[in-house]
Amino acid sequence: MNRFIYRGTKKLRCGYTTGSCAAGAAKAAAKMLLSGETISQITLMTPAGIPLTLDILELRLTDDCASCAIRKDSGDDPDITNGILIYATVCKCESGVVIDGGEGIGTVTKPGLDQPAGNAAINSTPRRMITDALTEIAAEHGYAGGFHVIITAPEGAEIAKKTFNPRMGITGGISIIGTTGIVEPMSNAAVVDTIRAEANMRRAAGQKNLLLTVGNYSDTFLQDFRPELAERAVMCSNFIGDALDIGVTLGFRRILLIGHIGKLVKLGAGIMNTHSSYADGRMETLIACGALAGIPRELLVQIPECVTTDAALNILYQHPKYTEMLQILTERIAYYLSARVKDQVQTGAVVFSNQHDLLLKTAGADAIIATMTEETI
């Protein structure tokens, strides 16, 4: 695909989603089925208004059914599904367009996701793309009947083990997804959509309190800190502000954030996207909190040379005002969390360090933990 975007100074090639692959393969299979002829390419219009010309692979044609595959191309995005084959088998039926998943396509097992429990994990936009594409082909060939479509991905079951699907209650394979049909390299929107989907699943399951973790360190800490809550955590990565917004819009009453000091210290400066490409501010925030606590300059001037927050804490720990410094940081984190949600929900944070274990809890954290524990039990 010859479409590019810029991320900073890098020119990156876009790709297309598994949804586009499924819709393109279904359109090609239907065209072969109605024309009786094999084809090598198919043109598909994506929801983004960008046309794709897709190569058709693994063609099979009989009197009643046709099948083919399209290879997923994620462009320069590090997508785990890049290069896999997405197949569509299309058969004639009496009326309508019936879409189901076969080998390697996951099954939804929990409420709150794009599809109801029991359905194949083929999201609504790809389903609409498939239906529109097949309706177009039927009109071209004067066909008044319907189609039965089965989407498969032979490598899907193995790939799905490395995705969020298992923790989201999607079993047995990958999801066919995409809202625009186009993959933009390192797309923030894709990550936020995943957070929203998982949080929505928790809300649909009846949970009134949202637990957010920042990454693998957080999940490991949570297993020791409150193992009974581990299964309900939604990983928000660096997108803390977006995750808080999602929690508010979905109607959660309380939101608890658990994360490593290396990420959550940035909240003390109001930084809500903690990826280093957006902002750092770790050492500056610690210096500011240390200065407010009365830690002397001769210690504070050593902080900018530290590579990690743990190293900085080791220096600050030498002074009696260390605990006061952490309290100031705690209050700043609590302030910015509350400001982000505009006091619409209760918020709390638990911050830990690999070397210093549990470092701080905001004032409302224990009460939220107790409520979550009751809700879980």
Side-chain angles (χ1 to χ4, degrees), residues 89-113:
T89 299
V90 178
C91 303
K92 295 178 182 178
C93 67
E94 189 172 327
S95 63
V97 177
V98 180
I99 303 168
D100 204 356
E103 180 187 6
I105 304 300
T107 299
V108 178
T109 64
K110 296 181 180 179
L113 297 176

Side-chain angles (χ1 to χ4, degrees), residues 290-366:
L292 290 171
I295 293 178
R297 184 179 183 278
E298 55 264 28
L299 286 181
L300 296 179
V301 295
Q302 300 177 42
I303 303 304
E305 302 302 318
C306 296
V307 176
T308 68
T309 49
D310 274 323
L313 291 176
N314 287 338
I315 293 172
L316 297 170
Y317 186 74
Q318 302 172 35
H319 196 272
K321 294 286 188 178
Y322 171 79
T323 301
E324 188 174 336
M325 181 274 298
L326 285 183
Q327 182 58 36
I328 292 171
L329 176 60
T330 303
E331 292 170 359
R332 290 173 68 93
I333 290 173
Y335 169 80
Y336 283 113
L337 287 175
S338 182
R340 179 67 182 224
V341 301
K342 299 177 175 62
D343 292 321
Q344 296 175 81
V345 301
Q346 295 179 34
T347 55
V350 176
V351 182
F352 66 93
S353 157
N354 290 343
Q355 291 185 19
H356 300 274
D357 199 34
L358 177 64
L359 282 173
L360 60 91
K361 291 185 286 185
T362 59
D366 281 332

Side-chain angles (χ1 to χ4, degrees), residues 16-33 37-47 50-59 66-73 85-90 97 99 122 125-137 140 147 149-152 176-178 180-182:
Y16 43 84
T17 64
T18 51
S20 289
C21 293
K27 184 177 182 180
K31 187 175 182 67
M32 292 191 297
L33 179 62
E37 299 176 355
T38 58
I39 58 175
S40 60
Q41 288 185 325
I42 195 72
T43 300
L44 178 76
M45 181 59 70
T46 63
I50 300 169
L52 298 173
T53 299
L54 304 169
D55 293 331
I56 308 304
L57 307 171
E58 305 286 327
L59 292 73
S67 69
C68 62
I70 290 176
R71 191 175 299 281
K72 169 71 183 300
D73 179 5
L85 291 176
I86 305 293
Y87 290 78
T89 299
V90 178
V97 177
I99 303 168
I122 303 172
T125 298
R127 287 176 183 270
R128 185 170 63 251
M129 292 171 68
I130 293 169
T131 299
D132 290 348
L134 269 57
T135 301
E136 177 188 333
I137 293 298
E140 286 180 6
F147 298 100
V149 184
I150 298 178
I151 306 300
T152 59
I176 300 298
I177 59 174
T180 66
I182 302 299

Side-chain angles (χ1 to χ4, degrees), residues 240-296:
I240 294 171
D242 291 293
L244 292 169
D245 295 344
I246 288 167
V248 172
T249 57
L250 291 180
F252 286 97
R253 295 181 182 176
R254 304 167 190 85
I255 302 174
L256 180 70
L257 176 66
I258 296 180
H260 188 275
I261 183 69
K263 292 290 187 182
L264 297 200
V265 68
K266 299 181 184 184
L267 295 181
I271 298 169
M272 291 288 163
N273 185 323
T274 56
H275 195 283
S276 58
S277 65
Y278 283 83
D280 191 346
R282 295 170 301 156
M283 303 309 162
E284 291 82 357
T285 303
L286 289 176
I287 290 170
C289 293
L292 290 171
I295 293 178

